[in-house]
Amino acid sequence: MPDGPVDDAAVLDTLFAGSQQGLFVLDADRKVTRYTPSARRVRALPSEDVAGHDVRDFAPVTEPELGQLIDEVLATGEPVRGRLLRGRSPSDPDRTLAVEVSLFPLRGGPGLVGVVEDVTERQAAADRLAVLGTVHRTVGATLDVRATADALVDALVPDFADAASVDLLDDDPSGAAPPSGPLPTSVPLRRIAFAAPTP
């Protein structure tokens, strides 16, 4: 290994060329002055839509929370680390993204460095585990069918599903066993629990 001082410019060039995380350098007006190529690929944006633009122009995914964090770091000079933000993907509005953001003020002048990592898959797995934990703690604590059904739909909505219902098949008065497999649509069911987000 060669002796002597390390060239800071070479270190930065290597970091920005090879990092798999999104690295952004923003000036005091939130305009991007430098960023990693991997950050552009994640957002599917051409370079002219990133460099020189306000971060809000291409990252509406987490606005206004991201803007508030940037303002906080610029005002206080204190870093923010590992903040989880969620929002819609700018390139695919039907997809929800989860990103982990860290922001560090530049010590040599106004502006900051942002590190952005797409943690959508990891966070989805954590969310599923959290829902399973809630179901395990709350569902089946009683033998009351209605209370169990209510606990189930409450555990699922909105963290796992947009809406959930529990529908029961009433006992046949003749005592016949319920049909096996999928029920035909003509079989009446009784809804005993339903949950959906309040509009």
Coordinates of all heavy atoms in Angstrom, one line a residue, residues 22 44 64 106 163 196:
G22 N -28.1 5.9 -3.3 CA -28.2 7.2 -3.9 C -27.5 8.2 -3.1 O -27.9 8.4 -1.9
A44 N -35.2 6.2 -12.6 CA -35.4 6.2 -14.0 C -35.5 7.6 -14.6 O -36.4 7.9 -15.4 CB -36.7 5.4 -14.4
P64 N -44.3 16.3 1.8 CA -43.4 17.4 2.2 C -42.4 17.0 3.3 O -41.6 17.8 3.7 CB -44.4 18.4 2.8 CG -45.4 17.6 3.4 CD -45.6 16.3 2.6
L106 N -22.9 20.0 5.0 CA -21.6 20.2 4.6 C -20.8 21.1 5.5 O -21.3 22.2 5.9 CB -21.6 20.8 3.2 CG -22.0 19.9 2.0 CD1 -22.1 20.7 0.7 CD2 -21.1 18.8 1.9
A163 N -59.0 -3.2 2.7 CA -60.2 -3.5 3.4 C -60.2 -5.0 3.7 O -59.5 -5.8 3.0 CB -61.4 -3.2 2.4
A196 N -62.4 -0.8 6.8 CA -61.8 -0.1 5.7 C -61.3 1.2 6.2 O -61.9 1.7 7.2 CB -62.7 0.0 4.6

